[in-house]
Amino acid sequence: MNTTLIRNGRVITATDDYVADVLMQDGIIHAIGKNMVVGEGVKVIDASGLYVLPGGVDTHVHLQNIIGPTVTCDTFASGTRAAAFGGTTTLVDFALQTAQDSPLEAIARAQRLADSQVNVDYSLHVIVTRVDAQVLADVRHAMRHEGVTSFKMFMAYPGVMMADDAAIFQMLRQVGADGGMVALHAENGTVIDLLIKEALEAGHASPRYHALTRPAILEGEATHRGIRLAELAEAQIYFVHVSSNQALKHIVTARAEGIPVFAETCPHYLLFDDSVYHSDEFEIAKYVMTPPLRTPDDQKHLWRALRYDDLQVIATDHCPFCMKEGHLGYQRQKMSGLHDFSKIPNGAPGIETRLTSLFDIGVMQGKLSLNRFVQLTSTTPAKLFGLFPKKGTIAVGSDADVVLFDPAATQVIHAEHLHSQCDYTLLEGRTLRGQVKKVFLRGELIVDGEQWLGREGMGRFVPRGTVQAF
Ligand SMILES: [Zn+2]
């Protein structure tokens, strides 16, 4: 039996902030108290001066995902190790329904790939690309018997991932009625594809045109359309990677109207703005993600929405591709778009720096309280995706997924020191205040400073319940 007492740390949840001892036993939080007396054989860790946080929950992660002609360059092994070093102990990745198979086959395939590799706990959203009666039956089965209660659909990428409005509506109606969540990638895909075609015909091939061909208004239009479909379906809905005020203003209005709309943003939209695209250097392919970075004014609106709960989640959309072709054997990564921006795989890394970067720019700059920081990165994602209170908080009976975080430490970020297989980080050379010191997964110490103590395969697939939004 593995029993550990974390002594004298400052326990911070979405609602609490107090100094106490936390006893972890049999993988769960067994007791919380003051000056607890423990017997022989109990490992005691002094956490004076450290925060005791619930393990991070990252609900938007792409590990080993096949995307077009390539694959994201973190495996379930490397990506979950990087997550752990960053203080994330549960993540939700994706299972892609291909043209040939069903959501159930997609789940089984992703589990076969992940189970032997994962270092932290995980679940899956199914990406539904095609809807018919059988698919709807399989979706219902997945919700009731597989513990998979969320489904992602794309309004972008026609001919690849895009689902039409009727398909999205059908999914919203059924999944919503069963208490699950449809997560939407909201961008008007067909108009974007036209703008890309026109840009390339005009000889505009450099990476900056990625951003210019995906204007915020097309994110706003699709967000509005998604909201109206959810309203008609009487379903809750979740928008991934909200980047712009064009999208946000529809979300704010809908919430005020009482429509159950939820949304996430990602650290990169808070850390960087579209000024990075003012270059014709291929280097800016690092910032080719979807949606693209927006203006400082959009950023201001994102912070406001985070403060007032119009945005409820900060997830990474960790979708790493290497800049150097052939790095660790990965082919057709960012360089494949050297002469055509539309061939640059969309995405950027971020799984390991989510908590520290948000602590630095959010908490330390006075934009987020500590409680709100925990709520956005752990508690609310756990609630919206049916993982709470097993995950997302520090409470008696919850999984002992615990992060010891040093608010006084500083670190300088370099890709070579991170644990992702990606050969760059958007935060290269940046100094961040705050550092993850120790990480426990179900009571087991897996990260101890620089030292890795976890094991591939020790992570578990976590069956999820329905949305706990209200
Ligand atoms: Zn994504």
Side-chain angles (χ1 to χ4, degrees):
M1 188 177 6
N2 181 4
T3 307
T4 306
L5 182 76
I6 300 170
R7 185 156 323 268
N8 224 18
R10 183 171 161 192
V11 178
I12 296 161
T13 69
T15 51
D16 307 306
D17 185 344
Y18 54 87
V19 173
D21 301 341
V22 176
L23 183 69
M24 304 186 289
Q25 190 174 316
D26 301 330
I28 61 166
I29 294 171
H30 192 75
I32 302 172
K34 289 274 191 191
N35 306 315
M36 288 173 66
V37 179
V38 288
E40 295 276 312
V42 174
K43 197 171 168 215
V44 178
I45 292 172
D46 179 18
S48 305
L50 302 180
Y51 296 162
V52 181
L53 308 174
V57 177
D58 191 344
T59 51
H60 192 162
V61 170
H62 301 272
L63 302 179
Q64 232 170 318
N65 285 187
I66 295 166
I67 294 183
T70 191
V71 62
T72 54
C73 69
D74 269 316
T75 60
F76 277 98
S78 69
T80 53
R81 191 168 57 240
F85 271 102
T88 289
T89 49
T90 304
L91 51 84
V92 188
D93 205 289
F94 295 93
L96 173 66
Q97 173 207 20
T98 64
Q100 295 80 37
D101 65 8
S102 86
L104 297 176
E105 288 167 315
I107 294 166
R109 186 171 54 241
Q111 285 174 326
R112 276 197 301 275
L113 198 60
D115 279 337
S116 63
Q117 297 191 64
V118 282
N119 293 290
V120 301
D121 287 355
Y122 82 104
S123 182
L124 298 162
H125 310 285
V126 182
I127 297 175
V128 175
T129 52
R130 181 173 57 76
V131 175
D132 59 26
Q134 185 58 47
V135 168
L136 289 170
D138 291 345
V139 163
R140 181 156 279 163
H141 183 93
M143 287 195 59
R144 292 186 180 171
H145 304 289
E146 303 292 333
V148 172
T149 54
S150 55
F151 303 87
K152 184 175 179 187
M153 300 184 83
F154 285 80
M155 301 172 105
Y157 307 121
V160 189
M161 304 276 227
M162 193 174 94
D164 67 22
D165 294 348
I168 293 167
F169 174 71
Q170 280 177 291
M171 281 288 289
L172 279 164
R173 194 167 52 185
Q174 180 180 302
V175 172
D178 286 351
M181 191 74 97
V182 172
L184 269 193
H185 173 134
E187 281 187 308
N188 186 315
T190 58
V191 177
I192 286 168
D193 271 16
L194 174 75
L195 296 180
I196 291 170
K197 186 166 153 277
E198 289 176 352
L200 290 171
E201 281 168 1
H204 300 316
S206 77
R208 67 192 300 171
Y209 289 94
H210 170 75
L212 295 172
T213 52
R214 311 188 87 91
I217 193 167
L218 295 180
E219 184 189 0
E221 182 279 324
T223 304
H224 176 262
R225 185 157 33 105
I227 289 168
R228 297 282 82 92
L229 297 175
E231 183 182 17
L232 186 65
E234 297 181 31
Q236 54 273 9
I237 189 167
Y238 182 86
F239 289 95
V240 295
H241 53 46
V242 171
S243 66
S244 66
N245 192 41
Q246 284 277 358
L248 204 48
K249 67 185 183 188
H250 296 295
I251 292 167
V252 173
T253 308
R255 288 174 63 82
E257 290 167 353
I259 302 167
V261 177
F262 304 92
E264 79 186 16
T265 190
C266 312
H268 42 258
Y269 300 118
L270 303 167
L271 287 157
F272 309 100
D273 62 51
D274 60 357
S275 60
V276 305
Y277 299 126
H278 298 166
S279 163
D280 281 313
E281 296 294 314
F282 188 71
E283 273 297 294
I284 67 172
K286 288 176 181 174
Y287 299 95
V288 169
M289 75 274 287
T290 298
L293 300 170
R294 305 297 193 188
T295 68
D297 186 61
D298 287 299
Q299 243 174 19
K300 202 178 70 197
H301 287 285
L302 293 176
W303 281 116
R304 179 184 50 76
L306 287 168
R307 285 173 77 100
Y308 296 112
D309 207 36
D310 286 314
L311 288 170
Q312 299 80 35
V313 173
I314 300 176
T316 57
D317 196 5
H318 178 78
C319 192
F321 299 102
C322 294
M323 282 295 285
K324 290 193 271 305
E325 185 64 7
H327 181 76
L328 298 175
Y330 284 103
Q331 303 297 327
R332 286 169 298 189
Q333 302 262 293
K334 293 285 189 182
M335 282 292 279
S336 53
L338 187 58
H339 303 296
D340 175 351
F341 72 90
S342 73
K343 294 197 166 59
I344 301 170
N346 294 185
I351 201 166
E352 191 169 346
T353 49
R354 182 177 65 134
L355 295 186
T356 41
S357 64
L358 290 168
F359 181 78
D360 184 78
I361 62 168
V363 177
M364 294 304 279
Q365 293 188 21
K367 293 190 172 96
L368 302 174
S369 71
L370 275 172
N371 298 121
R372 183 66 178 147
F373 167 68
V374 171
Q375 192 173 34
L376 288 163
T377 55
S378 179
T379 314
T380 302
K383 286 184 176 180
L384 288 180
F385 293 100
L387 290 159
F388 186 84
K390 183 178 170 65
K391 306 294 187 187
T393 195
I394 292 182
V396 173
S398 292
D399 280 0
D401 298 343
V402 175
V403 174
L404 301 188
F405 189 88
D406 184 354
T410 59
Q411 55 181 323
V412 183
I413 303 298
H414 295 292
E416 58 184 324
H417 298 155
L418 297 176
H419 300 82
S420 166
Q421 296 194 146
C422 195
D423 59 356
Y424 75 94
T425 164
L426 297 178
L427 291 160
E428 187 65 38
R430 190 149 166 166
T431 301
L432 296 179
R433 290 164 291 181
Q435 192 167 32
V436 171
K437 291 290 182 187
K438 290 185 199 292
V439 179
F440 298 86
L441 177 70
R442 283 179 272 103
E444 264 196 72
L445 185 62
I446 58 171
V447 170
D448 189 4
E450 302 280 290
Q451 215 188 338
W452 174 243
L453 301 171
R455 300 180 308 281
E456 288 177 19
M458 75 182 288
R460 291 184 194 153
F461 178 80
V462 188
R464 292 183 288 122
T466 52
V467 177
Q468 302 147 281
F470 307 108

